[in-house]
Amino acid sequence: MNISLGDVRYNATAGAFEARVDIARGTSTFRYPCSVAGPVTMDMDQVRDGLKRRAMRMSDTNPDLMSHI
């Protein structure tokens, strides 16, 4: 499985970071529009991790199978 993010943008009206997240499994790619609420000063590593977690929740992959650092 491979997870990749599109351009991450801040939506000031919603107070959230938004991005397209692609999850590739085998020969299929699944695309999810995701957002993570937070201030514009939020650490980008936290933003990216949050967006990936959201996409995993939206997919049919069991998030309990994912490891966290």
Side-chain angles (χ1 to χ4, degrees):
M1 176 174 43
N2 183 33
I3 302 174
S4 60
L5 299 175
D7 291 336
V8 178
R9 299 176 194 258
Y10 189 72
N11 180 334
T13 302
F17 290 89
E18 301 173 335
R20 177 197 80 226
V21 182
D22 294 340
I23 299 177
R25 282 189 226 110
T27 59
S28 300
T29 300
F30 304 90
R31 182 167 288 171
Y32 302 96
C34 297
S35 66
V36 173
V40 71
T41 57
M42 189 172 174
D43 179 74
M44 283 308 291
D45 287 336
Q46 289 180 324
V47 171
R48 288 183 196 96
D49 289 345
L51 290 166
K52 290 177 184 179
R53 281 193 304 274
R54 300 266 181 184
M56 292 301 297
R57 280 189 222 123
M58 293 171 74
S59 78
D60 61 353
T61 302
N62 183 346
D64 294 335
L65 298 177
M66 302 300 292
S67 63
H68 295 74
I69 297 177

